[in-house]
Amino acid sequence: MKKTLGLLLLAVSLPAFAALPSYSAPEILARANIGAGFNLPEMSFISNTCPVINNRGDVSFKLMAFGGENNQGLWLKLGSEENGKIVYTAPDMRLLTEPSLNDKGQVAFNQYDEGITDGIFTIDGDTNNVQQVLKPVSDDIAYYTYPQVLTNGKVYFRATNQDSVRSYYQYDGSLKQIISEGVSSYGQKSSYLFKPYLNDSGAMTFKRRIGEAGEWDERNPDEILLLKPKGNSYESVVIAKDKDGDHDSKFLGFTNSTSLSKSGLIAFTAILEDTSKAIILSQDGKLKNLAIEKADNISEIELFAPKVNDQGLVVFRAKDMEGKRGIYITGAEGTKKLIGEGDEIMTDLGLAKILSNPNFPGFGGDVDMNDHGEIVFYCLVMGAKNNEEWGSAVFKITPQK
């Protein structure tokens, strides 16, 4: 039985096809290990990577090192290919951001080091062509983070200047600032701009803290904001406020990441009045609680980004009542756990188990899901019989037809 919320969230009319799907067994895409790996060379290392998947079924993720060298790299598997491969190696002394991936198979990333940035790059998955789509065009921008390239070629990212002030930019031949900390924009001044999430129409959603630049105290109000393109500007919609900004709000606060589907569905994690966390879905300005701690055998919703698709399904990371981490899916018809720590999983070496250790997480990074309900995630695997460490791996799980 679901826990009573003690708050009234407006119902959302979700698509009729938002039933929770049944999933096939996970498919291994890559495995990194000191010895032989799978679809990766020996001496490869993945750590808390955030794999991404698009609607073509292409998958990409970041490598910390590979082949015995200390260079970071990017791995890509097209949906039409049987195997993936490393498609980019960072130069010596350069780091890479986590990649993003559009529906044309373009991987976008930033290359940087302390005090140095090389701008934003893309890799065309169909041709493996690497392009520097945005060179550093302003000495004032020290970091280009969360880069995304839409299928129309427009580039979006969060910039941090030499004074540690964050702004969102669009680039389409020239830079256009969308919002900046410390400047009154869309009815408020932002003291901190968190990670933005865009869909292919150029709409973006994000959490922002209200106040003067640098006023980061938790007592400052937070809100979830949606910006929708309107001509050459944006229309802003406040999706939710916390109690610091609205005494009538049912939310004490929000975790730092949101997501946005192509049709405009928004998912975020909110902290309720009783301090429990819940996965919230927003559609047409109405809010619906989809999952909550202490219900559906969930003890804790983890602080990773929930991902929503156009079917109204949200995938997220959480712990069960035994404290074991897992991957969960939720929607209008309920919530269920897909896989968790200690569960058996098939690998290239045979039957394995996802690491279950109270002192070390078996899962890492964000999970991702496309509009077909395909999900990708990263975990650590052990031999099912001998508990031998088999390294870290990226898997895909696909709805049954």
Side-chain angles (χ1 to χ4, degrees), residues 271-320:
I271 303 167
L272 306 180
E273 291 178 292
D274 64 356
T275 71
S276 61
K277 294 193 290 293
I279 301 295
I280 308 296
L281 182 72
S282 170
Q283 182 183 20
D284 299 327
K286 298 179 180 180
L287 303 178
K288 172 69 175 180
N289 182 330
L290 295 184
I292 186 173
E293 292 175 343
K294 308 304 184 290
D296 301 304
N297 198 36
I298 294 173
S299 67
E300 180 184 352
I301 295 173
E302 294 197 278
L303 302 178
F304 294 89
K307 298 296 176 65
V308 63
N309 69 8
D310 267 355
Q311 299 178 44
L313 299 173
V314 182
V315 65
F316 62 100
R317 283 183 51 179
K319 295 180 182 179
D320 64 18

mmCIF file of all heavy atoms in Angstrom, residues 271-320:
data_model
loop_
_atom_site.group_PDB
_atom_site.id
_atom_site.type_symbol
_atom_site.label_atom_id
_atom_site.label_comp_id
_atom_site.label_asym_id
_atom_site.label_seq_id
_atom_site.Cartn_x
_atom_site.Cartn_y
_atom_site.Cartn_z
ATOM 1 N N ILE A 271 11.879 17.004 -2.217
ATOM 2 C CA ILE A 271 11.875 16.657 -0.798
ATOM 3 C C ILE A 271 10.547 17.142 -0.233
ATOM 4 O O ILE A 271 10.238 18.342 -0.285
ATOM 5 C CB ILE A 271 13.062 17.294 -0.070
ATOM 6 C CG1 ILE A 271 14.372 16.867 -0.733
ATOM 7 C CG2 ILE A 271 13.067 16.911 1.405
ATOM 8 C CD1 ILE A 271 15.578 17.681 -0.300
ATOM 9 N N LEU A 272 9.744 16.206 0.295
ATOM 10 C CA LEU A 272 8.403 16.523 0.774
ATOM 11 C C LEU A 272 8.443 17.088 2.192
ATOM 12 O O LEU A 272 9.492 17.136 2.835
ATOM 13 C CB LEU A 272 7.526 15.278 0.709
ATOM 14 C CG LEU A 272 7.461 14.585 -0.661
ATOM 15 C CD1 LEU A 272 6.555 13.365 -0.588
ATOM 16 C CD2 LEU A 272 6.987 15.547 -1.740
ATOM 17 N N GLU A 273 7.277 17.483 2.667
ATOM 18 C CA GLU A 273 7.200 18.138 3.980
ATOM 19 C C GLU A 273 7.649 17.228 5.116
ATOM 20 O O GLU A 273 8.107 17.714 6.150
ATOM 21 C CB GLU A 273 5.770 18.620 4.223
ATOM 22 C CG GLU A 273 5.378 19.774 3.309
ATOM 23 C CD GLU A 273 3.947 20.215 3.525
ATOM 24 O OE1 GLU A 273 3.039 19.432 3.201
ATOM 25 O OE2 GLU A 273 3.752 21.350 4.018
ATOM 26 N N ASP A 274 7.519 15.919 4.964
ATOM 27 C CA ASP A 274 7.974 14.990 6.009
ATOM 28 C C ASP A 274 9.417 14.556 5.796
ATOM 29 O O ASP A 274 9.876 13.600 6.426
ATOM 30 C CB ASP A 274 7.048 13.773 6.095
ATOM 31 C CG ASP A 274 7.079 12.926 4.817
ATOM 32 O OD1 ASP A 274 7.764 13.327 3.855
ATOM 33 O OD2 ASP A 274 6.413 11.875 4.793
ATOM 34 N N THR A 275 10.143 15.226 4.883
ATOM 35 C CA THR A 275 11.561 15.045 4.527
ATOM 36 C C THR A 275 11.808 13.821 3.649
ATOM 37 O O THR A 275 12.956 13.554 3.296
ATOM 38 C CB THR A 275 12.502 14.982 5.749
ATOM 39 O OG1 THR A 275 12.317 13.749 6.446
ATOM 40 C CG2 THR A 275 12.273 16.157 6.694
ATOM 41 N N SER A 276 10.778 13.057 3.299
ATOM 42 C CA SER A 276 10.977 11.968 2.349
ATOM 43 C C SER A 276 11.107 12.536 0.945
ATOM 44 O O SER A 276 10.624 13.640 0.646
ATOM 45 C CB SER A 276 9.811 10.982 2.413
ATOM 46 O OG SER A 276 8.593 11.616 2.092
ATOM 47 N N LYS A 277 11.776 11.795 0.068
ATOM 48 C CA LYS A 277 11.958 12.231 -1.317
ATOM 49 C C LYS A 277 10.964 11.515 -2.225
ATOM 50 O O LYS A 277 10.590 10.365 -1.971
ATOM 51 C CB LYS A 277 13.394 11.966 -1.781
ATOM 52 C CG LYS A 277 14.436 12.798 -1.047
ATOM 53 C CD LYS A 277 15.783 12.750 -1.731
ATOM 54 C CE LYS A 277 16.461 11.398 -1.627
ATOM 55 N NZ LYS A 277 16.853 11.053 -0.244
ATOM 56 N N ALA A 278 10.565 12.192 -3.292
ATOM 57 C CA ALA A 278 9.611 11.630 -4.237
ATOM 58 C C ALA A 278 10.009 11.983 -5.649
ATOM 59 O O ALA A 278 10.602 13.045 -5.903
ATOM 60 C CB ALA A 278 8.196 12.150 -3.952
ATOM 61 N N ILE A 279 9.700 11.090 -6.598
ATOM 62 C CA ILE A 279 9.860 11.365 -8.021
ATOM 63 C C ILE A 279 8.578 12.046 -8.500
ATOM 64 O O ILE A 279 7.482 11.491 -8.365
ATOM 65 C CB ILE A 279 10.099 10.073 -8.822
ATOM 66 C CG1 ILE A 279 11.366 9.354 -8.327
ATOM 67 C CG2 ILE A 279 10.200 10.380 -10.315
ATOM 68 C CD1 ILE A 279 12.652 10.109 -8.558
ATOM 69 N N ILE A 280 8.727 13.253 -9.039
ATOM 70 C CA ILE A 280 7.584 14.067 -9.461
ATOM 71 C C ILE A 280 7.603 14.196 -10.981
ATOM 72 O O ILE A 280 8.657 14.437 -11.587
ATOM 73 C CB ILE A 280 7.626 15.474 -8.830
ATOM 74 C CG1 ILE A 280 7.785 15.379 -7.314
ATOM 75 C CG2 ILE A 280 6.389 16.269 -9.204
ATOM 76 C CD1 ILE A 280 6.635 14.728 -6.595
ATOM 77 N N LEU A 281 6.435 14.040 -11.586
ATOM 78 C CA LEU A 281 6.277 14.246 -13.026
ATOM 79 C C LEU A 281 5.421 15.481 -13.254
ATOM 80 O O LEU A 281 4.380 15.654 -12.618
ATOM 81 C CB LEU A 281 5.611 13.038 -13.679
ATOM 82 C CG LEU A 281 5.425 13.114 -15.196
ATOM 83 C CD1 LEU A 281 6.769 12.969 -15.905
ATOM 84 C CD2 LEU A 281 4.460 12.044 -15.685
ATOM 85 N N SER A 282 5.861 16.337 -14.161
ATOM 86 C CA SER A 282 5.116 17.538 -14.533
ATOM 87 C C SER A 282 4.667 17.430 -15.979
ATOM 88 O O SER A 282 5.469 17.141 -16.863
ATOM 89 C CB SER A 282 5.993 18.781 -14.357
ATOM 90 O OG SER A 282 5.372 19.923 -14.924
ATOM 91 N N GLN A 283 3.371 17.657 -16.202
ATOM 92 C CA GLN A 283 2.828 17.712 -17.553
ATOM 93 C C GLN A 283 1.791 18.822 -17.607
ATOM 94 O O GLN A 283 0.855 18.864 -16.797
ATOM 95 C CB GLN A 283 2.171 16.395 -17.960
ATOM 96 C CG GLN A 283 1.633 16.414 -19.393
ATOM 97 C CD GLN A 283 0.931 15.126 -19.769
ATOM 98 O OE1 GLN A 283 0.521 14.361 -18.908
ATOM 99 N NE2 GLN A 283 0.791 14.888 -21.061
ATOM 100 N N ASP A 284 1.966 19.736 -18.570
ATOM 101 C CA ASP A 284 1.024 20.847 -18.755
ATOM 102 C C ASP A 284 0.802 21.618 -17.458
ATOM 103 O O ASP A 284 -0.320 22.062 -17.157
ATOM 104 C CB ASP A 284 -0.312 20.333 -19.294
ATOM 105 C CG ASP A 284 -0.167 19.650 -20.646
ATOM 106 O OD1 ASP A 284 0.706 20.084 -21.423
ATOM 107 O OD2 ASP A 284 -0.905 18.687 -20.907
ATOM 108 N N GLY A 285 1.870 21.784 -16.678
ATOM 109 C CA GLY A 285 1.793 22.569 -15.457
ATOM 110 C C GLY A 285 1.194 21.846 -14.278
ATOM 111 O O GLY A 285 1.062 22.430 -13.197
ATOM 112 N N LYS A 286 0.813 20.587 -14.435
ATOM 113 C CA LYS A 286 0.248 19.808 -13.335
ATOM 114 C C LYS A 286 1.277 18.799 -12.852
ATOM 115 O O LYS A 286 2.061 18.264 -13.632
ATOM 116 C CB LYS A 286 -1.027 19.101 -13.786
ATOM 117 C CG LYS A 286 -2.131 20.069 -14.214
ATOM 118 C CD LYS A 286 -3.372 19.324 -14.681
ATOM 119 C CE LYS A 286 -4.457 20.319 -15.107
ATOM 120 N NZ LYS A 286 -5.684 19.612 -15.578
ATOM 121 N N LEU A 287 1.257 18.519 -11.542
ATOM 122 C CA LEU A 287 2.271 17.688 -10.913
ATOM 123 C C LEU A 287 1.670 16.388 -10.410
ATOM 124 O O LEU A 287 0.566 16.363 -9.874
ATOM 125 C CB LEU A 287 2.934 18.426 -9.748
ATOM 126 C CG LEU A 287 3.590 19.767 -10.071
ATOM 127 C CD1 LEU A 287 4.158 20.395 -8.810
ATOM 128 C CD2 LEU A 287 4.669 19.612 -11.127
ATOM 129 N N LYS A 288 2.423 15.315 -10.576
ATOM 130 C CA LYS A 288 1.993 14.002 -10.134
ATOM 131 C C LYS A 288 3.135 13.309 -9.422
ATOM 132 O O LYS A 288 4.258 13.258 -9.930
ATOM 133 C CB LYS A 288 1.556 13.155 -11.348
ATOM 134 C CG LYS A 288 1.250 11.696 -11.049
ATOM 135 C CD LYS A 288 0.003 11.504 -10.229
ATOM 136 C CE LYS A 288 -0.307 10.021 -10.065
ATOM 137 N NZ LYS A 288 -1.529 9.800 -9.266
ATOM 138 N N ASN A 289 2.862 12.766 -8.229
ATOM 139 C CA ASN A 289 3.836 11.964 -7.508
ATOM 140 C C ASN A 289 3.824 10.556 -8.091
ATOM 141 O O ASN A 289 2.793 9.883 -8.084
ATOM 142 C CB ASN A 289 3.462 11.936 -6.026
ATOM 143 C CG ASN A 289 4.459 11.154 -5.200
ATOM 144 O OD1 ASN A 289 5.083 10.222 -5.696
ATOM 145 N ND2 ASN A 289 4.593 11.515 -3.948
ATOM 146 N N LEU A 290 4.973 10.094 -8.572
ATOM 147 C CA LEU A 290 5.056 8.757 -9.155
ATOM 148 C C LEU A 290 5.665 7.724 -8.222
ATOM 149 O O LEU A 290 5.305 6.556 -8.263
ATOM 150 C CB LEU A 290 5.870 8.795 -10.452
ATOM 151 C CG LEU A 290 5.289 9.599 -11.610
ATOM 152 C CD1 LEU A 290 6.170 9.437 -12.840
ATOM 153 C CD2 LEU A 290 3.861 9.191 -11.916
ATOM 154 N N ALA A 291 6.612 8.110 -7.396
ATOM 155 C CA ALA A 291 7.279 7.183 -6.484
ATOM 156 C C ALA A 291 7.724 7.949 -5.255
ATOM 157 O O ALA A 291 8.061 9.136 -5.337
ATOM 158 C CB ALA A 291 8.481 6.520 -7.161
ATOM 159 N N ILE A 292 7.721 7.272 -4.123
ATOM 160 C CA ILE A 292 8.065 7.919 -2.862
ATOM 161 C C ILE A 292 8.827 6.956 -1.972
ATOM 162 O O ILE A 292 8.617 5.735 -2.025
ATOM 163 C CB ILE A 292 6.788 8.426 -2.142
ATOM 164 C CG1 ILE A 292 7.136 9.230 -0.886
ATOM 165 C CG2 ILE A 292 5.847 7.294 -1.823
ATOM 166 C CD1 ILE A 292 5.946 9.885 -0.233
ATOM 167 N N GLU A 293 9.738 7.500 -1.184
ATOM 168 C CA GLU A 293 10.461 6.674 -0.221
ATOM 169 C C GLU A 293 9.498 6.035 0.782
ATOM 170 O O GLU A 293 8.489 6.620 1.157
ATOM 171 C CB GLU A 293 11.501 7.516 0.522
ATOM 172 C CG GLU A 293 12.637 7.983 -0.381
ATOM 173 C CD GLU A 293 13.611 8.921 0.306
ATOM 174 O OE1 GLU A 293 13.246 9.461 1.379
ATOM 175 O OE2 GLU A 293 14.710 9.124 -0.230
ATOM 176 N N LYS A 294 9.832 4.830 1.193
ATOM 177 C CA LYS A 294 9.070 3.992 2.120
ATOM 178 C C LYS A 294 7.878 3.323 1.456
ATOM 179 O O LYS A 294 7.125 2.600 2.119
ATOM 180 C CB LYS A 294 8.612 4.780 3.362
ATOM 181 C CG LYS A 294 9.723 5.522 4.081
ATOM 182 C CD LYS A 294 10.855 4.596 4.498
ATOM 183 C CE LYS A 294 11.910 5.335 5.300
ATOM 184 N NZ LYS A 294 12.697 6.296 4.498
ATOM 185 N N ALA A 295 7.662 3.554 0.168
ATOM 186 C CA ALA A 295 6.663 2.815 -0.595
ATOM 187 C C ALA A 295 7.394 2.008 -1.670
ATOM 188 O O ALA A 295 8.543 2.305 -2.014
ATOM 189 C CB ALA A 295 5.654 3.760 -1.230
ATOM 190 N N ASP A 296 6.723 0.994 -2.215
ATOM 191 C CA ASP A 296 7.287 0.171 -3.278
ATOM 192 C C ASP A 296 8.636 -0.420 -2.879
ATOM 193 O O ASP A 296 9.524 -0.595 -3.712
ATOM 194 C CB ASP A 296 7.430 0.979 -4.573
ATOM 195 C CG ASP A 296 6.092 1.522 -5.047
ATOM 196 O OD1 ASP A 296 5.167 0.717 -5.234
ATOM 197 O OD2 ASP A 296 5.978 2.752 -5.205
ATOM 198 N N ASN A 297 8.803 -0.697 -1.577
ATOM 199 C CA ASN A 297 10.036 -1.287 -1.049
ATOM 200 C C ASN A 297 11.252 -0.405 -1.285
ATOM 201 O O ASN A 297 12.380 -0.877 -1.445
ATOM 202 C CB ASN A 297 10.278 -2.684 -1.643
ATOM 203 C CG ASN A 297 11.270 -3.515 -0.831
ATOM 204 O OD1 ASN A 297 11.297 -3.425 0.404
ATOM 205 N ND2 ASN A 297 12.095 -4.301 -1.507
ATOM 206 N N ILE A 298 11.059 0.912 -1.325
ATOM 207 C CA ILE A 298 12.151 1.878 -1.518
ATOM 208 C C ILE A 298 12.461 2.538 -0.183
ATOM 209 O O ILE A 298 11.584 3.151 0.441
ATOM 210 C CB ILE A 298 11.765 2.956 -2.553
ATOM 211 C CG1 ILE A 298 11.606 2.321 -3.934
ATOM 212 C CG2 ILE A 298 12.809 4.065 -2.579
ATOM 213 C CD1 ILE A 298 11.071 3.281 -4.967
ATOM 214 N N SER A 299 13.700 2.429 0.261
ATOM 215 C CA SER A 299 14.099 3.114 1.490
ATOM 216 C C SER A 299 14.660 4.499 1.212
ATOM 217 O O SER A 299 14.512 5.407 2.036
ATOM 218 C CB SER A 299 15.137 2.282 2.250
ATOM 219 O OG SER A 299 16.363 2.217 1.532
ATOM 220 N N GLU A 300 15.315 4.653 0.048
ATOM 221 C CA GLU A 300 15.941 5.948 -0.270
ATOM 222 C C GLU A 300 16.038 6.136 -1.771
ATOM 223 O O GLU A 300 16.517 5.246 -2.485
ATOM 224 C CB GLU A 300 17.347 6.013 0.338
ATOM 225 C CG GLU A 300 18.082 7.318 0.060
ATOM 226 C CD GLU A 300 19.504 7.318 0.582
ATOM 227 O OE1 GLU A 300 19.889 6.367 1.288
ATOM 228 O OE2 GLU A 300 20.242 8.272 0.256
ATOM 229 N N ILE A 301 15.556 7.258 -2.265
ATOM 230 C CA ILE A 301 15.774 7.664 -3.654
ATOM 231 C C ILE A 301 17.124 8.368 -3.713
ATOM 232 O O ILE A 301 17.353 9.347 -3.001
ATOM 233 C CB ILE A 301 14.643 8.574 -4.151
ATOM 234 C CG1 ILE A 301 13.319 7.792 -4.188
ATOM 235 C CG2 ILE A 301 14.967 9.136 -5.536
ATOM 236 C CD1 ILE A 301 12.108 8.648 -4.514
ATOM 237 N N GLU A 302 18.030 7.856 -4.529
ATOM 238 C CA GLU A 302 19.388 8.408 -4.560
ATOM 239 C C GLU A 302 19.434 9.740 -5.306
ATOM 240 O O GLU A 302 18.541 10.073 -6.085
ATOM 241 C CB GLU A 302 20.340 7.398 -5.198
ATOM 242 C CG GLU A 302 20.509 6.132 -4.358
ATOM 243 C CD GLU A 302 21.735 5.345 -4.770
ATOM 244 O OE1 GLU A 302 21.647 4.586 -5.755
ATOM 245 O OE2 GLU A 302 22.775 5.496 -4.104
ATOM 246 N N LEU A 303 20.518 10.481 -5.072
ATOM 247 C CA LEU A 303 20.646 11.838 -5.595
ATOM 248 C C LEU A 303 21.224 11.847 -7.005
ATOM 249 O O LEU A 303 22.196 12.547 -7.298
ATOM 250 C CB LEU A 303 21.514 12.680 -4.647
ATOM 251 C CG LEU A 303 21.003 12.786 -3.214
ATOM 252 C CD1 LEU A 303 21.973 13.605 -2.372
ATOM 253 C CD2 LEU A 303 19.610 13.395 -3.174
ATOM 254 N N PHE A 304 20.615 11.072 -7.888
ATOM 255 C CA PHE A 304 21.006 11.047 -9.288
ATOM 256 C C PHE A 304 19.820 11.487 -10.124
ATOM 257 O O PHE A 304 18.669 11.417 -9.683
ATOM 258 C CB PHE A 304 21.482 9.649 -9.700
ATOM 259 C CG PHE A 304 22.747 9.222 -9.023
ATOM 260 C CD1 PHE A 304 22.708 8.568 -7.799
ATOM 261 C CD2 PHE A 304 23.985 9.496 -9.587
ATOM 262 C CE1 PHE A 304 23.878 8.185 -7.153
ATOM 263 C CE2 PHE A 304 25.154 9.118 -8.950
ATOM 264 C CZ PHE A 304 25.101 8.462 -7.730
ATOM 265 N N ALA A 305 20.100 11.937 -11.338
ATOM 266 C CA ALA A 305 19.041 12.517 -12.164
ATOM 267 C C ALA A 305 18.027 11.457 -12.581
ATOM 268 O O ALA A 305 18.407 10.437 -13.160
ATOM 269 C CB ALA A 305 19.644 13.169 -13.400
ATOM 270 N N PRO A 306 16.728 11.674 -12.321
ATOM 271 C CA PRO A 306 15.708 10.801 -12.910
ATOM 272 C C PRO A 306 15.570 11.137 -14.394
ATOM 273 O O PRO A 306 15.741 12.295 -14.795
ATOM 274 C CB PRO A 306 14.444 11.171 -12.132
ATOM 275 C CG PRO A 306 14.654 12.603 -11.729
ATOM 276 C CD PRO A 306 16.138 12.755 -11.515
ATOM 277 N N LYS A 307 15.278 10.138 -15.235
ATOM 278 C CA LYS A 307 15.159 10.370 -16.677
ATOM 279 C C LYS A 307 13.748 10.010 -17.134
ATOM 280 O O LYS A 307 13.272 8.904 -16.882
ATOM 281 C CB LYS A 307 16.190 9.533 -17.443
ATOM 282 C CG LYS A 307 17.638 9.887 -17.109
ATOM 283 C CD LYS A 307 17.978 11.311 -17.527
ATOM 284 C CE LYS A 307 19.396 11.691 -17.106
ATOM 285 N NZ LYS A 307 20.435 10.918 -17.778
ATOM 286 N N VAL A 308 13.094 10.952 -17.818
ATOM 287 C CA VAL A 308 11.723 10.764 -18.278
ATOM 288 C C VAL A 308 11.707 10.627 -19.794
ATOM 289 O O VAL A 308 12.523 11.235 -20.496
ATOM 290 C CB VAL A 308 10.829 11.945 -17.827
ATOM 291 C CG1 VAL A 308 11.285 13.268 -18.443
ATOM 292 C CG2 VAL A 308 9.358 11.683 -18.148
ATOM 293 N N ASN A 309 10.781 9.804 -20.306
ATOM 294 C CA ASN A 309 10.624 9.720 -21.759
ATOM 295 C C ASN A 309 9.206 10.113 -22.155
ATOM 296 O O ASN A 309 8.370 10.462 -21.304
ATOM 297 C CB ASN A 309 11.005 8.330 -22.286
ATOM 298 C CG ASN A 309 10.038 7.229 -21.883
ATOM 299 O OD1 ASN A 309 8.971 7.471 -21.319
ATOM 300 N ND2 ASN A 309 10.399 5.992 -22.170
ATOM 301 N N ASP A 310 8.922 10.076 -23.451
ATOM 302 C CA ASP A 310 7.632 10.547 -23.947
ATOM 303 C C ASP A 310 6.475 9.611 -23.619
ATOM 304 O O ASP A 310 5.315 9.948 -23.849
ATOM 305 C CB ASP A 310 7.699 10.774 -25.465
ATOM 306 C CG ASP A 310 8.064 12.199 -25.821
ATOM 307 O OD1 ASP A 310 8.171 13.029 -24.889
ATOM 308 O OD2 ASP A 310 8.233 12.498 -27.015
ATOM 309 N N GLN A 311 6.773 8.430 -23.077
ATOM 310 C CA GLN A 311 5.718 7.537 -22.629
ATOM 311 C C GLN A 311 5.274 7.845 -21.198
ATOM 312 O O GLN A 311 4.405 7.164 -20.651
ATOM 313 C CB GLN A 311 6.181 6.082 -22.716
ATOM 314 C CG GLN A 311 6.549 5.628 -24.124
ATOM 315 C CD GLN A 311 7.046 4.192 -24.128
ATOM 316 O OE1 GLN A 311 6.471 3.326 -23.484
ATOM 317 N NE2 GLN A 311 8.127 3.947 -24.842
ATOM 318 N N GLY A 312 5.887 8.856 -20.593
ATOM 319 C CA GLY A 312 5.571 9.174 -19.211
ATOM 320 C C GLY A 312 6.211 8.238 -18.216
ATOM 321 O O GLY A 312 5.784 8.157 -17.056
ATOM 322 N N LEU A 313 7.250 7.518 -18.638
ATOM 323 C CA LEU A 313 7.997 6.622 -17.766
ATOM 324 C C LEU A 313 9.244 7.327 -17.256
ATOM 325 O O LEU A 313 9.871 8.103 -17.988
ATOM 326 C CB LEU A 313 8.392 5.347 -18.507
ATOM 327 C CG LEU A 313 7.241 4.495 -19.048
ATOM 328 C CD1 LEU A 313 7.786 3.355 -19.904
ATOM 329 C CD2 LEU A 313 6.393 3.945 -17.916
ATOM 330 N N VAL A 314 9.598 7.068 -16.005
ATOM 331 C CA VAL A 314 10.777 7.675 -15.388
ATOM 332 C C VAL A 314 11.648 6.572 -14.809
ATOM 333 O O VAL A 314 11.165 5.709 -14.067
ATOM 334 C CB VAL A 314 10.395 8.668 -14.273
ATOM 335 C CG1 VAL A 314 11.646 9.316 -13.679
ATOM 336 C CG2 VAL A 314 9.445 9.741 -14.804
ATOM 337 N N VAL A 315 12.937 6.571 -15.149
ATOM 338 C CA VAL A 315 13.884 5.625 -14.578
ATOM 339 C C VAL A 315 14.743 6.387 -13.572
ATOM 340 O O VAL A 315 15.099 7.551 -13.782
ATOM 341 C CB VAL A 315 14.738 4.948 -15.675
ATOM 342 C CG1 VAL A 315 15.633 5.945 -16.393
ATOM 343 C CG2 VAL A 315 15.569 3.814 -15.088
ATOM 344 N N PHE A 316 15.054 5.718 -12.444
ATOM 345 C CA PHE A 316 15.828 6.401 -11.404
ATOM 346 C C PHE A 316 16.563 5.368 -10.566
ATOM 347 O O PHE A 316 16.277 4.163 -10.629
ATOM 348 C CB PHE A 316 14.921 7.266 -10.526
ATOM 349 C CG PHE A 316 13.865 6.503 -9.754
ATOM 350 C CD1 PHE A 316 14.045 6.201 -8.414
ATOM 351 C CD2 PHE A 316 12.683 6.102 -10.370
ATOM 352 C CE1 PHE A 316 13.081 5.499 -7.699
ATOM 353 C CE2 PHE A 316 11.702 5.405 -9.665
ATOM 354 C CZ PHE A 316 11.902 5.101 -8.320
ATOM 355 N N ARG A 317 17.511 5.839 -9.762
ATOM 356 C CA ARG A 317 18.272 4.988 -8.852
ATOM 357 C C ARG A 317 17.727 5.123 -7.438
ATOM 358 O O ARG A 317 17.376 6.223 -7.002
ATOM 359 C CB ARG A 317 19.758 5.355 -8.873
ATOM 360 C CG ARG A 317 20.514 4.840 -10.072
ATOM 361 C CD ARG A 317 21.997 5.180 -9.983
ATOM 362 N NE ARG A 317 22.570 4.787 -8.688
ATOM 363 C CZ ARG A 317 23.848 4.959 -8.363
ATOM 364 N NH1 ARG A 317 24.681 5.499 -9.234
ATOM 365 N NH2 ARG A 317 24.293 4.599 -7.173
ATOM 366 N N ALA A 318 17.649 4.005 -6.715
ATOM 367 C CA ALA A 318 17.143 4.032 -5.344
ATOM 368 C C ALA A 318 17.694 2.832 -4.585
ATOM 369 O O ALA A 318 18.261 1.899 -5.166
ATOM 370 C CB ALA A 318 15.623 4.023 -5.333
ATOM 371 N N LYS A 319 17.495 2.837 -3.267
ATOM 372 C CA LYS A 319 17.855 1.705 -2.403
ATOM 373 C C LYS A 319 16.581 1.026 -1.919
ATOM 374 O O LYS A 319 15.568 1.698 -1.655
ATOM 375 C CB LYS A 319 18.670 2.182 -1.198
ATOM 376 C CG LYS A 319 20.025 2.776 -1.540
ATOM 377 C CD LYS A 319 20.747 3.224 -0.268
ATOM 378 C CE LYS A 319 22.092 3.860 -0.581
ATOM 379 N NZ LYS A 319 22.786 4.326 0.643
ATOM 380 N N ASP A 320 16.625 -0.313 -1.799
ATOM 381 C CA ASP A 320 15.474 -1.027 -1.270
ATOM 382 C C ASP A 320 15.496 -0.989 0.257
ATOM 383 O O ASP A 320 16.361 -0.344 0.864
ATOM 384 C CB ASP A 320 15.406 -2.454 -1.826
ATOM 385 C CG ASP A 320 16.593 -3.326 -1.406
ATOM 386 O OD1 ASP A 320 17.299 -2.985 -0.424
ATOM 387 O OD2 ASP A 320 16.823 -4.363 -2.066
#
